[in-house]
Amino acid sequence: MEFNLNGKKIILKNNMSVEEFLKKQGFDLEKIAVEKDGEILPKSRWQNTMIGSAQSYEVVEFVGGG
Amino acid sequence: MKISLNSKPCNTRCNDINELKIERNFSDGIVIYDGFIIDENLSLREDASIFFIKKGEIPEPNLLKGMMSARNTEAVNNKLKGSSVAIAGLGGLGSNIAISLARVGVQRLLLVDYDVVEPSNLNRQHYFLSHLWMKKTDALKEQISFINPFIKVECVDAELTPSNVCEILKDEKIICEAFDKASSKAMILNAISDNFNDKIIISASGMAGFGSSNDIKTTKFGSNIYICGDKKSGAQINTGLMAPRVMICAAHQANMILRVILDEFEV
């Protein structure tokens, strides 16, 4: 399957949950928010959403400071 | 002709500002015409909003309120009626955002923080030495009462966590995320969007250091979240957090909040 992650094309052989994909990509799951096809995908749905169910993901990695 | 003079409807036969000044016995002061200070004579137009501000005079509260918002323009003031914003975190971002929104005249502010003011806050946060070790909620409420006493300020002295954030913010339509920690920023976005779909969140990420001002931007995330900052400059050992960039980012958030209040949803 094929989709975009932060504007870059990703090709995967096996489908997997969004959570598993994010972990494999090395994201710190405590510090990110995920947009799936233009809508936020809240953390509670990462486990039950398959990564192949969308065309495009944006992941924002928050940095500290305020 | 029907105009508004010092917030009051008024019928006048005057054709211009100079005639109105004579009619109202106004000489020494500031003239604001539809949100703009003028020193020349201009023709009056139907429904114009005029303020004559007498030098040295402290007006009664109602008039003061009108004069304080005279530079906003009437269209903005009309939309600010009934406006309300929750600010989560009252550090460098939240304190400056709160002051900005209080100045413009957002009618109600809900201020949420559990912390107290300490010396290392003062390089960027909107507090005074006299606030040291006071609760940030109380210190900010006091300042807002000095700047704009017409703002209704409510405070919640609590740390927002996944278990209380939705309850505390359930009635808030516009939520400003102004936390310090990256994990808290992600937490509030995820918790709120998991439980509500009608809230607008204005968040921030990346304002540490002294990189270019122009790297700080407002971007949209999902359909109702805005993120301000350069998205990369995090506070860490040897990367400081200082007033100029923090205030730029806070101003981005405050302006996006104002835009949302004014029904402008594009960045």
Side-chain angles (χ1 to χ4, degrees):
Chain A
M1 76 208 56
E2 235 180 77
F3 56 87
N4 280 319
L5 171 67
N6 293 346
K8 282 181 194 156
K9 191 189 272 188
I10 302 270
I11 300 169
L12 284 185
K13 260 189 195 167
N14 302 316
N15 208 351
M16 61 181 84
S17 73
V18 169
E19 181 172 298
E20 199 182 343
F21 173 76
L22 293 168
K23 273 186 192 161
K24 284 198 168 151
Q25 291 284 316
F27 288 112
D28 179 345
L29 301 195
E30 295 301 308
K31 295 181 181 171
I32 59 172
V34 177
E35 184 190 72
K36 178 192 165 194
D37 284 343
E39 293 296 328
I40 188 164
L41 182 71
K43 193 176 182 179
S44 62
R45 292 173 219 166
W46 294 350
Q47 216 170 14
N48 297 326
T49 304
M50 297 308 281
I51 194 78
S53 64
Q55 303 289 311
S56 166
Y57 291 88
E58 288 288 327
V59 177
V60 59
E61 297 179 87
F62 283 97
V63 294
Chain B
M1 187 178 337
K2 192 165 66 54
I3 61 165
S4 158
L5 179 62
N6 286 355
S7 296
K8 283 187 185 143
C10 120
N11 273 308
T12 180
R13 286 187 187 162
C14 300
N15 295 306
D16 58 33
I17 291 289
N18 282 352
E19 287 179 23
L20 191 66
K21 279 181 173 176
I22 292 162
E23 186 190 86
R24 298 289 155 158
N25 197 20
F26 177 81
S27 53
D28 187 26
I30 295 129
V31 179
I32 300 176
Y33 191 130
D34 284 338
F36 189 64
I37 287 193
I38 57 165
D39 48 19
E40 69 273 40
N41 188 25
L42 284 184
S43 301
L44 289 176
R45 59 155 195 89
E46 190 76 23
D47 294 325
S49 167
I50 312 288
F51 282 90
F52 284 167
I53 301 179
K54 268 193 188 152
K55 280 196 177 158
E57 193 178 276
I58 305 286
E60 51 85 17
N62 248 343
L63 178 53
L64 177 65
K65 189 179 178 186
M67 288 178 174
M68 282 176 59
S69 57
R71 295 299 302 271
N72 289 350
T73 71
E74 205 168 290
V76 168
N77 286 331
N78 285 337
K79 291 218 167 165
L80 285 168
K81 283 175 193 155
S83 60
S84 176
V85 176
I87 303 176
L90 304 176
L93 296 171
S95 62
N96 284 303
I97 292 163
I99 296 295
S100 201
L101 297 179
R103 285 193 188 282
V104 80
V106 169
Q107 280 204 332
R108 171 187 171 271
L109 294 172
L110 178 73
L111 308 178
V112 188
D113 202 298
Y114 65 96
D115 213 352
V116 294
V117 179
E118 52 90 355
S120 81
N121 296 153
L122 295 179
N123 80 327
R124 67 192 187 283
Q125 305 190 12
H126 205 294
Y127 300 105
F128 308 142
L129 284 172
S130 59
H131 294 129
L132 282 178
W133 309 115
M134 251 173 99
K135 281 181 191 169
K136 288 183 175 177
T137 46
D138 292 340
L140 202 49
K141 189 175 181 172
E142 178 195 274
Q143 293 182 76
I144 292 170
S145 75
F146 293 158
I147 293 168
N148 190 340
F150 305 104
I151 309 300
K152 186 179 179 201
V153 180
E154 290 172 31
C155 297
V156 176
D157 179 26
E159 182 172 13
L160 291 180
T161 64
S163 53
N164 68 11
V165 64
C166 290
E167 178 58 27
I168 290 173
L169 299 176
K170 66 177 190 291
D171 296 325
E172 307 302 321
K173 171 103 172 85
I174 301 175
I175 297 168
C176 176
E177 177 282 302
F179 290 134
D180 190 33
K181 283 185 198 152
S183 57
S184 305
K185 293 170 180 290
M187 180 278 290
I188 193 168
L189 259 67
N190 281 304
I192 294 292
S193 14
D194 195 22
N195 289 280
F196 307 96
N197 52 23
D198 59 340
K199 302 205 183 297
I200 294 169
I201 304 175
I202 296 89
S203 181
S205 181
M207 76 298 298
F210 47 88
S212 170
S213 307
N214 296 336
D215 291 342
I216 292 176
K217 293 187 165 54
T218 302
T219 53
K220 208 163 181 183
F221 188 77
S223 48
N224 51 6
I225 295 170
Y226 299 89
I227 301 175
C228 304
D230 68 15
K231 294 188 179 172
K232 59 178 197 284
S233 305
Q236 53 189 308
I237 289 176
N238 269 324
T239 302
L241 204 51
M242 293 165 284
R245 270 186 130 234
V246 172
M247 288 173 74
I248 291 168
C249 191
H252 266 257
Q253 287 182 279
N255 191 46
M256 196 61 238
I257 290 166
L258 179 61
R259 285 175 62 73
V260 167
I261 291 169
L262 302 177
D263 297 319
E264 295 284 345
F265 298 99
E266 295 309 313
V267 298

Coordinates of all heavy atoms in Angstrom, one line a residue, chain A residues 29-35 38-46 58-66, chain B residues 92-93 124 179-180 182-183 185-186 189-190 193-194 203 205-207 221-223 225 233-235 241:
Chain A
L29 N 5.3 8.5 21.1 CA 3.9 8.6 21.0 C 3.2 9.6 22.0 O 2.1 9.9 21.9 CB 3.3 7.2 21.2 CG 3.7 6.1 20.2 CD1 2.7 4.9 20.3 CD2 3.7 6.6 18.8
E30 N 4.0 10.0 23.0 CA 3.5 10.9 24.0 C 3.6 12.3 23.5 O 3.0 13.2 24.2 CB 4.4 10.8 25.3 CG 4.3 9.5 26.0 CD 2.9 9.2 26.5 OE1 2.2 10.0 27.1 OE2 2.4 8.1 26.1
K31 N 4.3 12.6 22.4 CA 4.5 14.0 22.1 C 4.0 14.3 20.7 O 4.4 15.3 20.1 CB 6.0 14.3 22.1 CG 6.6 14.2 23.5 CD 8.1 14.5 23.6 CE 8.6 14.4 25.0 NZ 10.1 14.5 25.0
I32 N 3.1 13.5 20.1 CA 2.7 13.7 18.8 C 1.2 13.8 18.6 O 0.4 13.4 19.5 CB 3.2 12.6 17.8 CG1 2.6 11.2 18.2 CG2 4.7 12.6 17.7 CD1 2.9 10.1 17.2
A33 N 0.7 14.4 17.6 CA -0.7 14.4 17.2 C -0.7 14.0 15.7 O 0.3 14.3 14.9 CB -1.3 15.8 17.3
V34 N -1.7 13.3 15.3 CA -1.8 12.7 14.0 C -3.0 13.3 13.2 O -4.1 13.3 13.7 CB -1.9 11.2 14.0 CG1 -2.0 10.6 12.6 CG2 -0.7 10.6 14.8
E35 N -2.7 13.7 12.0 CA -3.8 14.1 11.1 C -3.9 13.1 10.0 O -2.9 12.7 9.4 CB -3.5 15.5 10.5 CG -4.5 16.1 9.6 CD -4.0 17.3 8.9 OE1 -3.2 17.2 7.9 OE2 -4.4 18.5 9.2
G38 N -6.6 15.0 6.5 CA -7.1 16.3 6.8 C -7.9 16.5 8.2 O -8.3 17.6 8.5
E39 N -8.1 15.3 8.8 CA -8.8 15.4 10.1 C -7.9 14.8 11.2 O -7.2 13.8 11.0 CB -10.1 14.6 10.1 CG -11.2 15.2 9.2 CD -11.7 16.6 9.6 OE1 -11.7 16.8 10.9 OE2 -12.0 17.4 8.7
I40 N -8.0 15.4 12.4 CA -7.2 14.8 13.5 C -7.7 13.4 13.8 O -8.9 13.1 13.8 CB -7.2 15.7 14.7 CG1 -6.2 15.2 15.8 CG2 -8.5 15.9 15.3 CD1 -5.8 16.2 16.9
L41 N -6.7 12.5 14.0 CA -7.0 11.1 14.5 C -6.6 11.0 15.9 O -5.4 10.9 16.2 CB -6.3 10.1 13.6 CG -6.6 8.6 13.9 CD1 -8.0 8.2 13.5 CD2 -5.5 7.7 13.2
P42 N -7.5 11.1 16.9 CA -7.1 11.1 18.3 C -6.3 9.9 18.7 O -6.6 8.8 18.1 CB -8.4 11.3 19.1 CG -9.4 11.7 18.1 CD -8.9 11.2 16.8
K43 N -5.5 10.0 19.7 CA -4.6 8.9 20.1 C -5.4 7.6 20.4 O -4.9 6.5 20.2 CB -3.9 9.4 21.4 CG -2.7 8.5 21.8 CD -2.0 9.1 22.9 CE -0.8 8.2 23.3 NZ -0.1 8.8 24.4
S44 N -6.6 7.8 21.0 CA -7.4 6.6 21.4 C -7.8 5.7 20.2 O -8.2 4.6 20.4 CB -8.7 7.1 22.1 OG -9.5 7.8 21.2
R45 N -7.6 6.3 19.0 CA -8.0 5.5 17.8 C -6.8 5.0 17.0 O -7.0 4.4 16.0 CB -8.9 6.4 16.9 CG -10.3 6.7 17.5 CD -11.1 7.6 16.7 NE -11.8 8.5 17.6 CZ -12.4 9.7 17.2 NH1 -12.4 10.0 16.0 NH2 -13.0 10.4 18.1
W46 N -5.6 5.2 17.5 CA -4.5 4.8 16.7 C -4.4 3.3 16.7 O -3.9 2.7 15.7 CB -3.2 5.3 17.4 CG -3.0 6.8 17.3 CD1 -3.8 7.7 16.6 CD2 -2.1 7.6 18.0 NE1 -3.4 9.0 16.8 CE2 -2.3 9.0 17.6 CE3 -1.0 7.3 18.8 CZ2 -1.6 10.0 18.1 CZ3 -0.2 8.4 19.3 CH2 -0.5 9.7 19.0
E58 N -0.4 13.5 8.4 CA 0.6 14.5 8.9 C 0.8 14.2 10.4 O -0.2 14.0 11.1 CB 0.0 15.9 8.8 CG -0.1 16.4 7.4 CD 1.2 16.8 6.8 OE1 2.1 17.3 7.5 OE2 1.4 16.7 5.5
V59 N 2.0 14.1 10.8 CA 2.3 13.9 12.2 C 3.1 15.1 12.7 O 4.1 15.5 12.1 CB 3.2 12.6 12.4 CG1 3.6 12.5 13.9 CG2 2.5 11.4 11.9
V60 N 2.5 15.7 13.7 CA 3.2 16.9 14.3 C 3.9 16.4 15.6 O 3.3 15.7 16.4 CB 2.3 18.1 14.6 CG1 1.2 17.8 15.5 CG2 3.1 19.3 15.1
E61 N 5.2 16.6 15.7 CA 6.0 16.3 16.9 C 6.2 17.5 17.7 O 6.9 18.4 17.3 CB 7.3 15.7 16.5 CG 7.3 14.5 15.7 CD 8.7 14.0 15.3 OE1 9.3 13.2 16.1 OE2 9.2 14.4 14.2
F62 N 5.5 17.6 18.8 CA 5.6 18.8 19.6 C 7.0 18.9 20.3 O 7.6 17.9 20.7 CB 4.5 18.8 20.7 CG 3.2 19.2 20.2 CD1 2.2 18.2 19.8 CD2 2.8 20.5 20.0 CE1 1.0 18.5 19.3 CE2 1.6 20.8 19.4 CZ 0.7 19.9 19.1
V63 N 7.4 20.2 20.4 CA 8.7 20.4 21.1 C 8.3 21.3 22.3 O 7.3 22.0 22.3 CB 9.8 21.1 20.2 CG1 10.2 20.1 19.2 CG2 9.3 22.4 19.6
G64 N 9.1 21.2 23.4 CA 8.8 21.9 24.6 C 9.1 23.4 24.5 O 9.9 23.9 23.7
G65 N 8.4 24.1 25.4 CA 8.7 25.6 25.5 C 7.4 26.3 25.5 O 6.5 26.0 24.7
G66 N 7.3 27.3 26.4 CA 6.1 28.1 26.5 C 6.1 29.1 27.5 O 7.2 29.5 27.9
Chain B
G92 N 5.1 31.7 29.6 CA 5.4 32.8 28.6 C 4.4 33.0 27.5 O 4.2 34.1 27.1
L93 N 3.8 31.9 27.1 CA 2.7 32.0 26.1 C 1.4 32.5 26.7 O 0.9 33.6 26.4 CB 2.5 30.7 25.4 CG 3.7 30.1 24.5 CD1 3.4 28.7 24.1 CD2 4.0 31.0 23.3
R124 N 10.5 36.2 30.4 CA 9.6 36.1 29.3 C 8.1 36.1 29.6 O 7.3 36.4 28.8 CB 9.9 34.8 28.5 CG 9.5 33.5 29.3 CD 10.0 32.3 28.6 NE 9.5 31.1 29.3 CZ 10.0 30.6 30.4 NH1 11.0 31.3 31.0 NH2 9.5 29.6 30.9
F179 N 0.9 25.4 27.1 CA 1.7 24.6 28.0 C 3.2 24.7 27.7 O 3.5 25.1 26.5 CB 1.3 23.1 28.0 CG 0.0 22.8 28.6 CD1 -0.9 22.0 27.9 CD2 -0.4 23.3 29.8 CE1 -2.1 21.7 28.4 CE2 -1.7 23.0 30.3 CZ -2.5 22.2 29.6
D180 N 4.0 24.2 28.6 CA 5.4 24.2 28.4 C 5.9 22.9 27.8 O 6.7 22.8 26.9 CB 6.1 24.5 29.7 CG 7.6 24.8 29.6 OD1 8.0 25.3 28.6 OD2 8.3 24.4 30.5
A182 N 6.1 19.3 25.9 CA 5.6 18.7 24.6 C 4.5 17.7 24.9 O 3.5 17.7 24.1 CB 6.8 18.1 23.9
S183 N 4.7 16.9 25.9 CA 3.7 15.8 26.2 C 2.3 16.4 26.6 O 1.3 15.9 26.2 CB 4.2 14.8 27.2 OG 4.5 15.5 28.4
K185 N 1.2 19.3 25.6 CA 0.6 19.9 24.3 C -0.1 18.8 23.5 O -1.3 18.9 23.1 CB 1.7 20.5 23.5 CG 2.4 21.7 24.1 CD 3.6 22.1 23.3 CE 4.3 23.3 23.9 NZ 3.5 24.5 23.7
A186 N 0.6 17.6 23.4 CA 0.0 16.5 22.6 C -1.3 16.0 23.4 O -2.3 15.6 22.8 CB 1.0 15.4 22.4
L189 N -4.5 18.2 22.9 CA -5.0 18.0 21.5 C -5.8 16.7 21.4 O -6.9 16.6 20.8 CB -3.9 18.1 20.5 CG -3.8 19.5 19.8 CD1 -3.3 20.6 20.8 CD2 -2.8 19.4 18.6
N190 N -5.1 15.6 21.8 CA -5.7 14.3 21.7 C -6.9 14.1 22.5 O -7.9 13.6 22.1 CB -4.6 13.2 22.0 CG -3.7 13.0 20.8 OD1 -4.1 12.7 19.7 ND2 -2.4 13.2 21.1
S193 N -9.9 16.4 21.2 CA -10.4 15.9 19.9 C -11.1 14.6 20.0 O -11.9 14.2 19.1 CB -9.5 16.0 18.7 OG -8.2 16.2 19.1
D194 N -10.7 13.8 21.0 CA -11.3 12.5 21.2 C -12.7 12.6 21.7 O -13.6 11.8 21.4 CB -10.4 11.7 22.1 CG -10.8 10.2 22.1 OD1 -11.4 9.8 21.1 OD2 -10.5 9.5 23.1
S203 N -2.8 26.1 19.4 CA -1.7 25.5 20.1 C -0.4 26.1 19.7 O -0.4 27.0 18.8 CB -1.8 24.0 19.8 OG -0.8 23.3 20.4
S205 N 4.0 25.3 19.1 CA 5.2 24.4 19.2 C 6.4 25.0 18.5 O 6.3 25.3 17.3 CB 4.8 23.0 18.6 OG 5.9 22.2 18.7
G206 N 7.5 25.2 19.3 CA 8.7 25.7 18.6 C 8.8 27.2 18.7 O 8.5 28.0 17.8
M207 N 9.4 27.7 19.8 CA 9.6 29.2 19.9 C 10.9 29.5 20.8 O 11.1 30.6 21.2 CB 8.4 29.9 20.4 CG 8.1 29.9 21.9 SD 7.7 28.3 22.6 CE 6.2 27.7 21.7
F221 N -4.1 22.5 11.5 CA -3.9 21.0 11.7 C -5.3 20.4 11.9 O -6.0 20.8 12.8 CB -3.0 20.8 12.9 CG -2.6 19.4 13.1 CD1 -1.6 18.8 12.3 CD2 -3.3 18.6 14.0 CE1 -1.2 17.5 12.5 CE2 -2.9 17.2 14.2 CZ -1.9 16.7 13.5
G222 N -5.7 19.5 11.0 CA -7.1 19.0 11.1 C -8.0 20.2 10.7 O -7.6 21.1 10.1
S223 N -9.3 20.1 11.1 CA -10.2 21.1 10.6 C -10.4 22.2 11.7 O -10.8 23.3 11.3 CB -11.5 20.5 10.2 OG -12.0 19.7 11.2
I225 N -7.9 22.9 14.5 CA -6.7 23.1 15.3 C -5.7 24.0 14.6 O -5.5 23.8 13.4 CB -6.0 21.8 15.7 CG1 -7.0 20.9 16.5 CG2 -4.7 22.0 16.4 CD1 -6.5 19.5 16.8
S233 N 12.1 24.4 17.2 CA 13.0 24.9 18.3 C 12.4 24.7 19.6 O 11.6 25.4 20.2 CB 13.2 26.4 18.1 OG 13.7 26.7 16.8
G234 N 12.8 23.5 20.2 CA 12.4 23.2 21.6 C 13.3 23.7 22.6 O 14.5 23.9 22.4
A235 N 12.8 24.0 23.8 CA 13.6 24.4 24.9 C 14.4 23.2 25.4 O 13.8 22.1 25.5 CB 12.7 24.9 26.0
L241 N 14.9 30.0 26.4 CA 13.5 30.4 26.1 C 13.4 31.8 26.5 O 13.5 32.2 27.7 CB 12.6 29.5 26.9 CG 11.2 29.2 26.4 CD1 11.1 28.7 25.0 CD2 10.6 28.2 27.4

